[in-house]
Amino acid sequence: MSEVAKLKCGDQELELPIITGTENEKGIDIGKLRSTTGMVTLDQGYVNTGSTTSAVTFLNGEEGVLRYRGYPIEQLAENCDFIEVAYLLVYGELPNEKELVTFRESISSHTMLHEDLKSFYDGFPRDAHPMAILSSVVGALSTFYQDSLNPHDPDQVEVSIHRLIAKLPTIASYAYKKSLGQPFTYPDNSKSYCDNFLQMMFSTPCAEYTSDPVFISALNMLLIVHADHEQNCSTSTVRMVGSADSNLFASISSGICALWGPLHGGANEAVVQMLNQIKADGGDVDKYVKMAKDKEDGFRLMGFGHRVYKNFDPRATIIKKACDRLLEKLDIDDPLFEIAQKLEKVALEDEYFVDRKLYPNVDFYSGVIYRAMGIPVEMFTVLFAIGRLPGWIAHWKEMQNSPSSRICRPRQVYTGPLNREFVTLDKR
Ligand code: SDX
């Protein structure tokens, strides 16, 4: 006998089936609610609403657990490189040696952009935000690959997936070079994914360039911990847009726009801006914690709090440890890291944050590492997007391949004016 929830609606009593997931999470299936009661549910921000079942990522916010396809994030960050994790998310299993070599080779064969796409960058202002460039150029990829846009053709989807994973670092590095007025650096397919990205970002035609292995390893870890996070705002956007049978490029371009928001992926940029503001203000963290608690002030401690994690974000723990190691190894004394640690200590002892279970999230420390690597702050969210791409793709594919998938079209409760007669202009 399957579990049910009983709901009394007026003189009706409904039995709504309860769905139980593999981790024993339970969801009440309200699929028949409106047809039987005429009512809809309301849930601002979908705090209590599951949009789908999914086998991609499991997270437990109370316990600070995050697993991609069942593998704990700590083990993946420790043992894999980003392309291996991308394969796991997109195809559901860790690749064997042959699968990994083939996947790497395919990705490497797609790293270049069509030469005509480079002219797009001439049109952007030099100070254009790279997230605007990223979403524009990713959307424009659909104009160069018009023969592979059908979301129901597995071969067209496969080649689009490989093109996106391969080209996003190139698109991103071109945006950075544009901001510097430096020539774009072509991909070097003899290098690993992260090494290639760093050389596209930092090498110039005038000097030899070799990526620091410490940075390559730190970048791999950062991309892995950003790779997926179940139904977050940008992933839900990718699913929403994809549910209309929009092509993968269009769906990913929309996810980039959602991630840009400072309440979401844009928080890593906002954290460093906040830490710089505190530093410029004499490092008085107590003042900023006080501001964050004052509802009138509207200031929020960026990099703190999370819709799901009501305990430490396991990614923040991994990144913070890497921060410590990296700064020590490079003998970098970054005042922002000191301020971040001080801010964390003060906030975590303050009842406002304790009561609301507000802990540092993935964005709180990531910017310190990006700075140490020489990544400019406006590129931080771009790196988040490069990391999140395999997760977006995995969810888009899962949605497309689900027999129960249908176009996402939420309902509402109307609160506007009642029916009224039109008034001609001369009478208004
Ligand atoms: C990401 O969803 C994901 O998985 C996202 C992500 C991913 O990997 O995709 O994990 C990536 O987006 C991480 C979050 C990055 N954003 C920030 O760091 C921005 C600062 N944080 C917040 O704005 C906020 O915590 C959110 C947006 C992250 C979560 O917002 P919620 O769940 O809607 O929580 P809320 O705004 O309702 O806050 C609950 C309470 C409120 O106070 P009360 O009304 O109960 O008195 O906590 C307060 C908020 O005012 N609060 C904060 C705060 N975050 C929440 N107060 C001060 N500073 C903060 N940072």
Side-chain angles (χ1 to χ4, degrees):
M1 164 76 169
S2 59
E3 254 188 293
V4 294
K6 289 191 183 337
L7 179 67
K8 260 183 94 47
C9 268
D11 54 4
Q12 282 178 296
E13 176 159 305
L14 289 193
E15 289 201 346
L16 298 169
I18 290 179
I19 311 283
T20 304
T22 48
E23 285 281 352
N24 275 324
E25 293 170 309
K26 295 187 181 300
I28 301 171
D29 181 344
I30 57 169
K32 297 272 182 289
L33 182 67
R34 192 168 186 280
S35 58
T36 45
T37 67
M39 287 194 209
V40 296
T41 57
L42 265 188
D43 186 19
Q44 207 66 38
Y46 306 124
V47 178
N48 307 284
T49 297
S51 57
T52 183
T53 58
S54 176
V56 179
T57 288
F58 170 71
L59 53 95
N60 178 319
E62 285 64 37
E63 293 167 22
V65 171
L66 172 58
R67 301 191 199 117
Y68 297 161
R69 301 287 191 183
Y71 294 100
I73 188 67
E74 296 79 3
Q75 294 178 27
L76 295 172
E78 186 67 32
N79 298 295
C80 296
D81 82 353
F82 175 62
I83 289 302
E84 207 173 346
V85 171
Y87 185 100
L88 169 67
L89 284 167
V90 172
Y91 300 106
E93 295 296 337
L94 284 169
N96 61 32
E97 183 73 35
K98 183 169 178 297
E99 288 161 339
L100 185 53
V101 167
T102 308
F103 187 54
R104 281 195 213 286
E105 282 167 358
S106 174
I107 298 297
S108 293
S109 69
H110 287 290
T111 51
M112 284 176 72
L113 287 193
H114 191 292
E115 284 294 295
D116 290 354
L117 255 175
K118 284 169 67 175
S119 58
F120 272 64
Y121 289 77
D122 300 336
F124 291 114
R126 185 167 166 187
D127 59 352
H129 196 288
M131 285 298 274
I133 296 177
L134 209 71
S135 62
S136 311
V137 177
V138 166
L141 287 177
S142 61
T143 66
F144 287 80
Y145 302 111
Q146 300 186 40
D147 60 348
S148 56
L149 300 179
N150 179 352
H152 301 292
D153 179 321
D155 295 337
Q156 294 186 27
V157 169
E158 184 73 357
V159 71
S160 299
I161 289 172
H162 290 208
R163 279 172 172 152
L164 272 165
I165 294 175
K167 294 179 194 307
L168 205 56
T170 312
I171 293 168
S173 65
Y174 281 13
Y176 177 56
K177 287 301 195 186
K178 157 83 187 181
S179 73
L180 297 178
Q182 284 186 1
F184 296 168
T185 308
Y186 283 104
D188 175 347
N189 295 337
S190 68
K191 295 182 183 298
S192 70
Y193 192 81
C194 288
D195 187 3
N196 181 37
F197 175 66
L198 291 173
Q199 74 88 15
M200 288 193 288
M201 284 282 288
F202 298 120
S203 74
T204 66
C206 331
E208 282 298 307
Y209 175 85
T210 308
S211 306
D212 185 328
V214 174
F215 291 164
I216 295 172
S217 157
L219 184 56
N220 257 306
M221 178 278 295
L222 284 167
L223 295 181
I224 288 169
V225 300
H226 283 86
D228 193 51
H229 217 241
E230 56 129 284
Q231 306 307 319
N232 59 84
C233 178
S234 55
T235 301
S236 300
T237 303
V238 169
R239 279 178 170 263
M240 171 78 81
V241 171
S243 75
D245 266 3
S246 302
N247 65 69
L248 183 58
F249 300 112
S251 304
I252 298 300
S253 173
S254 61
I256 293 169
C257 292
L259 188 73
W260 190 1
L263 293 185
H264 189 15
N268 56 17
E269 181 177 346
V271 166
V272 168
Q273 283 155 356
M274 173 187 73
L275 294 174
N276 272 317
Q277 186 186 345
I278 296 173
K279 177 168 165 271
D281 198 1
D284 180 358
V285 293
D286 294 312
K287 173 181 167 188
Y288 286 83
V289 168
K290 193 160 171 284
M291 280 162 57
K293 291 157 59 177
D294 175 2
K295 289 288 172 235
E296 301 311 309
D297 192 292
F299 171 79
R300 283 199 160 189
L301 223 44
M302 301 315 277
F304 258 79
H306 199 277
R307 172 61 57 78
V308 177
Y309 287 124
K310 301 308 171 192
N311 193 320
F312 251 86
D313 181 334
R315 302 167 298 176
T317 308
I318 294 169
I319 294 173
K320 184 180 176 186
K321 280 194 197 115
C323 251
D324 262 328
R325 282 198 307 270
L326 188 86
L327 294 180
E328 195 181 332
K329 195 172 277 188
L330 300 173
D331 195 22
I332 295 176
D333 177 17
D334 182 352
L336 296 195
F337 186 50
E338 308 310 320
I339 292 173
Q341 293 179 97
K342 225 170 112 187
L343 193 55
E344 177 190 351
K345 185 173 181 318
V346 170
L348 294 186
E349 287 164 3
D350 183 295
E351 65 174 27
Y352 172 93
F353 290 85
V354 174
D355 291 352
R356 292 168 178 77
K357 300 183 178 359
L358 301 176
Y359 291 88
N361 59 47
V362 67
D363 294 308
F364 190 62
Y365 285 107
S366 53
V368 175
I369 297 188
Y370 289 142
R371 277 161 52 89
M373 293 166 69
I375 306 277
V377 64
E378 58 278 353
M379 287 288 289
F380 288 2
T381 311
V382 169
L383 267 75
F384 194 146
I386 294 172
R388 185 52 53 90
L389 179 62
W392 287 334
I393 290 169
H395 284 276
W396 186 89
K397 256 185 92 175
E398 184 177 65
M399 178 272 303
Q400 281 295 354
N401 296 339
S402 161
S404 59
S405 179
R406 53 198 305 196
I407 188 167
C408 295
R409 203 275 184 219
R411 304 305 297 258
Q412 63 165 26
V413 173
Y414 177 71
T415 55
L418 298 176
N419 186 23
R420 50 184 173 166
E421 286 304 305
F422 177 73
V423 179
T424 54
L425 188 57
D426 60 321
K427 293 198 178 64
R428 285 178 217 159

